[in-house]
Amino acid sequence: MAETPPLRYALSGAGTRAWKMYLPLFGPDTYAPGIGTLAAVADNAPEQLDAVTARWNVPVFGGDIRPLLEETRPDVLIVTAPDHAHAEQIEAALSAGVDVLTEKPMTLSAAQAASVVAAERRSPAAVRVAHNMRYLNLHQAVKRLLDQGTIGQPVQVHLAYRLRPGHGRSYFLRWHRRAAASGGLQITKSCHHFDMLNWWLADRPQEVTGWTRRAHYRPDAAAEDRRVPADADIDDVLAAVIHYRGGAVAHYSLSARSPWEGYTLTVLGTEGELTTRYEVAPVDGTPPAEDYAVELSLLGGPPQTHRIPRESGTHSGADKRMINALLRHTTAQRKGQAATAVDGAYAVAVGEALTRSAAGGAVVAVDELLPGIGTPPAHAGPTWATTGKES
């Protein structure tokens, strides 16, 4: 039997995420050998393309992805371009029959997300969304415990995320500071958290009530470390109540200025409670603990503590796990761990529903933002090149 040739990848967007995460896959000192070959790179910035060609002998293209697709015919397009470019590039690849791995958020709006899902259903190709927080070993442990019914049926979830001042302010200094380019923190950042909630609960969000404000980073701030450009129009404090189809309610918050970075999580179930704390950077500046603790308080049983070792690497090891799952034939992909286009759409739609609710003061129905998405295709659906074309 002839050996299957390695897959050919094209990359759109040669910014920081591409250089840290994806370009190193293709040598010279790859951290994940055997993934495949780099066929082409696209970016709007000539200096970024010059840096690529100085290290990799590949064709380079401007920001219009269509010439790249037509001339190089990759197997997979990796989208790391700015958020506002995702929808157009994903749909162009699907129209060309090319699989897509896109960074989050999949799109800037629910309407774009619904359009991407419709395009995928017309195409032989498929989309996977790089929601890397699914691959953190702590988050996988939480998922397992919930799926096993350890605390019964989840009833309430409380997820409070916070960012350190330097990280939070950075969103107001880059292109993310304009809602037209990023959707605000509720999409560019919180889509990660909304996807995680949807995945943990194995449910779809039904209604969202939201609130946002700018409390920390302003052009007229007295402190220099809070001052930001005058054209920044996004908020830095978010809160939402998300009602799920199955009856669970999630209480979510994000603050972009906090003494420490990470989150606290509490899941209240019919048979007990699960709590954990994820620290990226502790308050005192010391390194995070060597392991995570998932605490279970059970009705009618003794408390339990599950210790999960902290792994090394970017995003606490989640990035490498994601690459292995999405770009290799691994069981994680076959078990449905990967975020699909529909998953990506619901993560974006919750963020948009939060924005709409905060602006209008009303409860927003998520499915009304995603017309037609709940109707499955008549055929078996698109497949994913990197898992042997499994559905």
Side-chain angles (χ1 to χ4, degrees):
M1 183 181 294
E3 186 176 344
T4 303
L7 291 171
R8 299 171 66 252
Y9 293 88
L11 180 71
S12 174
T16 301
R17 182 63 169 162
W19 279 93
K20 286 185 176 181
M21 177 74 173
Y22 296 104
L23 285 170
L25 293 172
F26 306 103
D29 299 315
T30 178
Y31 68 88
I35 293 296
T37 62
L38 184 63
V41 176
D43 197 283
N44 277 325
E47 63 273 17
Q48 295 284 27
L49 297 179
D50 289 344
V52 168
T53 55
R55 190 165 182 180
W56 290 274
N57 182 26
V58 296
V60 293
F61 297 81
D64 184 351
I65 205 67
R66 288 168 297 184
L68 179 153
L69 296 169
E70 293 169 1
E71 295 178 31
T72 66
R73 300 297 303 171
D75 296 302
V76 180
L77 175 69
I78 301 173
V79 177
T80 58
D83 300 353
H84 59 84
H86 288 190
E88 182 179 357
Q89 294 187 359
I90 293 168
E91 291 202 42
L94 292 173
S95 295
V98 174
D99 284 333
V100 179
L101 171 59
T102 181
E103 276 294 304
K104 60 81 189 171
M106 185 176 78
T107 62
L108 274 193
S109 71
Q112 290 176 341
S115 182
V116 163
V117 172
E120 184 189 54
R121 289 172 177 175
R122 295 190 300 267
S123 173
V127 176
R128 293 295 180 263
V129 186
H131 277 299
N132 60 346
M133 293 192 81
R134 291 188 177 205
Y135 298 90
L136 188 71
N137 59 352
L138 168 64
H139 299 159
Q140 293 173 349
V142 171
K143 174 67 171 170
R144 284 194 302 272
L145 290 167
L146 293 178
D147 285 352
Q148 291 167 2
T150 310
I151 61 167
Q153 184 71 27
V155 176
Q156 293 184 40
V157 183
H158 300 264
L159 176 62
Y161 208 100
R162 67 268 289 158
L163 304 174
R164 288 173 296 173
H167 189 184
R169 184 170 180 254
S170 71
Y171 286 97
F172 291 80
L173 303 179
R174 298 174 281 159
W175 54 264
H176 305 78
R177 69 183 183 273
R178 299 286 295 164
S182 69
L185 290 176
Q186 50 267 54
I187 288 183
T188 195
K189 179 63 177 176
S190 296
C191 71
H192 260 329
H193 312 145
F194 300 142
D195 175 72
M196 200 158 55
L197 288 168
N198 299 344
W199 176 60
W200 276 334
L201 293 172
D203 202 357
R204 297 297 187 204
Q206 183 174 6
E207 296 177 334
V208 176
T209 305
W211 173 86
T212 73
R213 66 173 289 203
R214 183 100 69 94
H216 302 298
Y217 305 111
R218 307 179 66 89
D220 58 353
E224 185 176 349
D225 65 347
R226 297 192 186 193
R227 203 173 303 137
V228 297
D231 63 347
D233 62 1
I234 65 174
D235 287 342
D236 54 25
V237 179
L238 319 174
V241 177
I242 308 164
H243 183 211
Y244 282 83
R245 294 177 183 175
V249 174
H251 304 259
Y252 171 78
S253 65
L254 171 71
S255 175
R257 185 177 174 85
S258 170
W260 65 282
E261 182 154 335
Y263 68 74
T264 56
L265 170 71
T266 300
V267 185
L268 298 155
T270 55
E271 300 299 327
E273 176 181 308
L274 177 152
T275 63
T276 192
R277 178 184 175 103
Y278 170 58
E279 286 188 329
V280 177
V283 174
D284 57 8
T286 59
E290 293 184 356
D291 57 22
Y292 313 104
V294 180
E295 307 284 353
L296 298 177
S297 300
L298 305 177
L299 293 169
Q304 302 176 15
T305 300
H306 294 254
R307 295 285 177 182
I308 314 298
R310 183 180 295 271
E311 297 180 336
S312 61
T314 55
H315 293 105
S316 303
D319 284 345
K320 186 172 182 179
R321 283 172 170 264
M322 182 181 72
I323 288 298
N324 285 332
L326 294 180
L327 304 187
R328 283 205 174 110
H329 297 241
T330 63
T331 55
Q333 169 72 17
R334 297 191 183 104
K335 289 179 179 178
Q337 182 175 332
T340 65
V342 172
D343 295 330
Y346 275 102
V348 168
V350 173
E352 182 173 327
L354 194 168
T355 301
R356 289 177 179 243
S357 178
V363 176
V364 177
V366 175
D367 281 335
E368 290 182 6
L369 303 179
L370 297 170
I373 200 172
T375 304
H379 57 81
T383 53
W384 179 240
T386 54
T387 56
K389 286 296 180 187
E390 293 180 357
S391 298

